[in-house]
Each structure stands twice: as structure tokens, then as C-alpha cells.
Amino acid sequence: RDLHSFPTRRSSDLWSFDQAIAYADGAQMELKVASYNTRAIRFYEKNGFKIVPDSEVMFADKIPIVKMLREGGVSNAFKFR
């Protein structure tokens, strides 16, 4: 499922993490995060994402980002801490 185009209640609403997980319905998910954002990386790791080895690239020639994947079939329950 394409999470860039999923429906919202209002066009100005942003989906929360739990809504995105539920919408994925167990499908593989991919996201990108700044490699220095250790707090976000820990959060995503606790929720089934893993950093893809050798995936670091520069965004806008300024921000190092890494790709993270969450395999399909992972529980839809998520953890904040």
C-alpha cells in the first residue's frame, strides 16, 4: 500500500504512526530517517523496523539519511518507549 496517498479525515490531517501501521495491514513498510536521529531510530527499531545496511545517502547534500524496513507480517501493535 502506498502510504503517501492514503486517505485522511481532512486534507490537513497527518496520519499518526499507529494509523500508518494499521493501514499497512501487515505489509512491508519502508521509511527514511536522518542517521543522526538516534531517538527516532530507536523508536522505529522497537516497532519492528531495521536499518538497511549500506543505505545511507545524503538528502539535499546536507542530511545523511538511512533506509529502514519493517518486514510484512509483523504485529500491528506498536510501542512508544
Side-chain angles (χ1 to χ4, degrees):
R1 295 185 140 185
D2 180 2
L3 298 182
H4 293 287
S5 60
F6 56 5
T8 61
R9 287 172 271 131
R10 295 183 315 238
S11 61
S12 62
D13 287 348
L14 295 176
W15 277 63
S16 65
F17 185 75
D18 60 331
Q19 289 172 311
I21 295 291
Y23 185 79
D25 195 28
Q28 179 176 299
M29 296 177 73
E30 175 184 315
L31 59 84
K32 294 177 181 158
V33 63
S35 61
Y36 54 79
N37 191 343
T38 56
R39 185 174 177 193
I41 290 170
R42 278 194 315 270
F43 171 81
Y44 292 128
E45 287 175 336
K46 288 179 183 179
N47 287 283
F49 286 85
K50 294 181 180 165
I51 293 176
V52 175
D54 301 319
S55 66
E56 187 168 311
V57 296
M58 295 299 284
F59 176 76
D61 294 325
K62 296 179 184 179
I63 304 169
I65 59 170
V66 292
K67 184 189 304 185
M68 298 187 78
L69 288 178
R70 184 176 192 261
E71 295 299 327
V74 177
S75 168
N76 282 346
F78 73 99
K79 303 170 185 121
F80 276 111
R81 297 182 199 262

